[in-house]
Amino acid sequence: MTLEGSFEQTSMFFGLINSPVIFETIMNKILQKLINTEEIISFIDNIIVGMEEEEGHDKVVDEVVKRLVENDLYIKPEKCK
């Protein structure tokens, strides 16, 4: 409790040894259905959409972005290829 109300952490603190593990667990939970259907692969902050055919690719990308937005996560478009 602070003078201005309760403190709510909105980002992960730097220097925590297990931060990557926590982040990977969060990503796996958010994207679990897509990972289980083998439509994507997630490793820490990398998400690979691998489809044998182009058909359906945009739909999967839209679903990934939707899930990230729903969980207050974001992507940097300049890092997307």
Short mmCIF file of all heavy atoms in Angstrom, two decimals, residues 1-2 4-5 9 22 24 29-32 35-36 40-42 44 52 56 60 62-63 70 77:
data_model
loop_
_atom_site.label_atom_id
_atom_site.label_comp_id
_atom_site.label_asym_id
_atom_site.label_seq_id
_atom_site.Cartn_x
_atom_site.Cartn_y
_atom_site.Cartn_z
N MET A 1 0.86 -1.16 0.00
CA MET A 1 0.00 0.00 0.00
C MET A 1 0.91 1.23 0.00
O MET A 1 1.87 1.31 0.73
CB MET A 1 -0.90 -0.06 1.23
CG MET A 1 -1.93 1.02 1.30
SD MET A 1 -3.18 0.99 0.03
CE MET A 1 -4.36 -0.11 0.73
N THR A 2 0.58 2.19 -0.86
CA THR A 2 1.31 3.45 -0.91
C THR A 2 0.36 4.59 -0.57
O THR A 2 -0.84 4.38 -0.41
CB THR A 2 1.90 3.69 -2.32
OG1 THR A 2 0.83 3.89 -3.24
CG2 THR A 2 2.77 2.54 -2.77
N GLU A 4 -0.71 6.76 -2.50
CA GLU A 4 -1.61 6.97 -3.63
C GLU A 4 -2.46 5.74 -3.95
O GLU A 4 -3.12 5.70 -4.97
CB GLU A 4 -0.82 7.40 -4.85
CG GLU A 4 -0.13 8.74 -4.63
CD GLU A 4 0.60 9.21 -5.87
OE1 GLU A 4 0.27 8.75 -6.98
OE2 GLU A 4 1.49 10.04 -5.71
N GLY A 5 -2.43 4.73 -3.11
CA GLY A 5 -3.22 3.52 -3.34
C GLY A 5 -2.34 2.30 -3.43
O GLY A 5 -1.16 2.32 -3.12
N GLN A 9 2.17 -4.00 -10.11
CA GLN A 9 3.28 -4.12 -11.05
C GLN A 9 2.74 -4.32 -12.46
O GLN A 9 1.88 -5.16 -12.69
CB GLN A 9 4.15 -5.31 -10.65
CG GLN A 9 5.34 -5.50 -11.54
CD GLN A 9 6.19 -6.67 -11.09
OE1 GLN A 9 6.10 -7.11 -9.97
NE2 GLN A 9 7.01 -7.15 -11.99
N ILE A 22 9.51 -17.25 -16.39
CA ILE A 22 8.17 -16.75 -16.10
C ILE A 22 7.52 -16.25 -17.39
O ILE A 22 6.36 -16.56 -17.67
CB ILE A 22 8.22 -15.63 -15.04
CG1 ILE A 22 8.65 -16.22 -13.69
CG2 ILE A 22 6.87 -14.94 -14.92
CD1 ILE A 22 8.98 -15.17 -12.65
N GLU A 24 8.21 -17.08 -20.53
CA GLU A 24 7.94 -18.22 -21.41
C GLU A 24 6.70 -18.97 -20.95
O GLU A 24 5.87 -19.38 -21.77
CB GLU A 24 9.14 -19.16 -21.45
CG GLU A 24 8.93 -20.40 -22.30
CD GLU A 24 8.83 -20.11 -23.78
OE1 GLU A 24 9.25 -19.04 -24.23
OE2 GLU A 24 8.34 -20.99 -24.50
N LYS A 29 1.03 -20.32 -21.95
CA LYS A 29 -0.35 -20.38 -21.47
C LYS A 29 -1.28 -19.60 -22.41
O LYS A 29 -2.36 -20.08 -22.76
CB LYS A 29 -0.45 -19.83 -20.06
CG LYS A 29 -1.82 -19.97 -19.45
CD LYS A 29 -1.83 -19.53 -18.01
CE LYS A 29 -3.23 -19.71 -17.43
NZ LYS A 29 -3.31 -19.27 -16.06
N ILE A 30 -0.87 -18.42 -22.83
CA ILE A 30 -1.68 -17.58 -23.71
C ILE A 30 -1.88 -18.24 -25.08
O ILE A 30 -2.96 -18.19 -25.66
CB ILE A 30 -1.03 -16.20 -23.88
CG1 ILE A 30 -1.09 -15.42 -22.56
CG2 ILE A 30 -1.67 -15.41 -25.01
CD1 ILE A 30 -0.25 -14.16 -22.57
N LEU A 31 -0.84 -18.87 -25.59
CA LEU A 31 -0.88 -19.41 -26.95
C LEU A 31 -1.03 -20.94 -26.99
O LEU A 31 -0.82 -21.56 -28.03
CB LEU A 31 0.41 -19.01 -27.68
CG LEU A 31 0.64 -17.50 -27.80
CD1 LEU A 31 2.05 -17.23 -28.32
CD2 LEU A 31 -0.40 -16.87 -28.69
N GLN A 32 -1.42 -21.54 -25.88
CA GLN A 32 -1.44 -23.00 -25.74
C GLN A 32 -2.23 -23.71 -26.84
O GLN A 32 -1.74 -24.69 -27.42
CB GLN A 32 -2.01 -23.39 -24.38
CG GLN A 32 -2.01 -24.88 -24.14
CD GLN A 32 -2.52 -25.23 -22.75
OE1 GLN A 32 -3.02 -24.38 -22.04
NE2 GLN A 32 -2.36 -26.47 -22.37
N ILE A 35 -0.30 -23.63 -30.08
CA ILE A 35 0.90 -24.46 -29.99
C ILE A 35 0.52 -25.93 -30.10
O ILE A 35 1.17 -26.71 -30.80
CB ILE A 35 1.66 -24.19 -28.67
CG1 ILE A 35 2.23 -22.76 -28.68
CG2 ILE A 35 2.75 -25.22 -28.45
CD1 ILE A 35 2.78 -22.31 -27.34
N ASN A 36 -0.55 -26.33 -29.41
CA ASN A 36 -0.99 -27.73 -29.43
C ASN A 36 -1.43 -28.19 -30.82
O ASN A 36 -1.31 -29.36 -31.14
CB ASN A 36 -2.12 -27.95 -28.44
CG ASN A 36 -1.64 -27.89 -27.00
OD1 ASN A 36 -0.45 -27.94 -26.72
ND2 ASN A 36 -2.56 -27.76 -26.07
N ILE A 40 1.76 -22.76 -34.50
CA ILE A 40 2.83 -21.82 -34.14
C ILE A 40 3.84 -22.51 -33.24
O ILE A 40 3.58 -23.55 -32.65
CB ILE A 40 2.29 -20.57 -33.43
CG1 ILE A 40 1.73 -20.92 -32.06
CG2 ILE A 40 1.25 -19.86 -34.26
CD1 ILE A 40 1.55 -19.72 -31.16
N ILE A 41 4.99 -21.86 -33.14
CA ILE A 41 6.02 -22.24 -32.18
C ILE A 41 6.36 -20.97 -31.41
O ILE A 41 6.55 -19.91 -32.00
CB ILE A 41 7.28 -22.79 -32.88
CG1 ILE A 41 6.96 -24.05 -33.66
CG2 ILE A 41 8.40 -23.04 -31.87
CD1 ILE A 41 8.08 -24.53 -34.55
N SER A 42 6.42 -21.08 -30.10
CA SER A 42 6.74 -19.93 -29.26
C SER A 42 7.98 -20.24 -28.44
O SER A 42 8.05 -21.28 -27.78
CB SER A 42 5.56 -19.61 -28.35
OG SER A 42 5.90 -18.60 -27.43
N ILE A 44 10.33 -17.94 -25.85
CA ILE A 44 10.53 -16.69 -25.13
C ILE A 44 9.75 -15.58 -25.83
O ILE A 44 8.54 -15.54 -25.73
CB ILE A 44 12.01 -16.37 -24.89
CG1 ILE A 44 12.68 -17.57 -24.16
CG2 ILE A 44 12.16 -15.11 -24.07
CD1 ILE A 44 14.13 -17.40 -23.86
N GLU A 52 2.14 -25.05 -43.82
CA GLU A 52 2.57 -25.68 -45.07
C GLU A 52 2.03 -24.92 -46.28
O GLU A 52 2.65 -24.89 -47.33
CB GLU A 52 2.11 -27.13 -45.10
CG GLU A 52 2.68 -27.92 -43.95
CD GLU A 52 3.34 -29.19 -44.38
OE1 GLU A 52 3.30 -29.51 -45.58
OE2 GLU A 52 3.91 -29.85 -43.52
N GLY A 56 -4.87 -19.71 -44.65
CA GLY A 56 -5.05 -19.79 -43.21
C GLY A 56 -3.97 -19.08 -42.41
O GLY A 56 -4.11 -18.90 -41.21
N VAL A 60 -4.27 -17.23 -38.56
CA VAL A 60 -3.47 -17.60 -37.39
C VAL A 60 -2.74 -16.38 -36.83
O VAL A 60 -2.71 -16.17 -35.62
CB VAL A 60 -2.48 -18.74 -37.73
CG1 VAL A 60 -1.56 -19.03 -36.56
CG2 VAL A 60 -3.23 -20.00 -38.13
N ASP A 62 -3.68 -13.26 -37.07
CA ASP A 62 -4.71 -12.45 -36.41
C ASP A 62 -5.04 -13.00 -35.02
O ASP A 62 -5.21 -12.24 -34.07
CB ASP A 62 -5.98 -12.38 -37.26
CG ASP A 62 -5.82 -11.52 -38.50
OD1 ASP A 62 -4.86 -10.71 -38.54
OD2 ASP A 62 -6.66 -11.66 -39.41
N GLU A 63 -5.13 -14.32 -34.90
CA GLU A 63 -5.45 -14.94 -33.61
C GLU A 63 -4.32 -14.71 -32.60
O GLU A 63 -4.58 -14.43 -31.42
CB GLU A 63 -5.70 -16.44 -33.79
CG GLU A 63 -6.07 -17.16 -32.53
CD GLU A 63 -7.41 -16.74 -31.93
OE1 GLU A 63 -8.27 -16.23 -32.67
OE2 GLU A 63 -7.58 -16.92 -30.71
N GLU A 70 -5.35 -9.09 -25.84
CA GLU A 70 -6.22 -9.44 -24.73
C GLU A 70 -5.46 -9.56 -23.41
O GLU A 70 -6.03 -9.41 -22.34
CB GLU A 70 -6.95 -10.76 -25.00
CG GLU A 70 -8.03 -10.67 -26.04
CD GLU A 70 -8.61 -12.02 -26.41
OE1 GLU A 70 -8.06 -13.07 -25.99
OE2 GLU A 70 -9.62 -12.04 -27.13
N PRO A 77 6.06 -3.99 -34.75
CA PRO A 77 5.95 -4.35 -36.18
C PRO A 77 7.28 -4.33 -36.93
O PRO A 77 7.48 -5.13 -37.84
CB PRO A 77 4.99 -3.29 -36.72
CG PRO A 77 4.20 -2.85 -35.55
CD PRO A 77 5.15 -2.93 -34.37
#
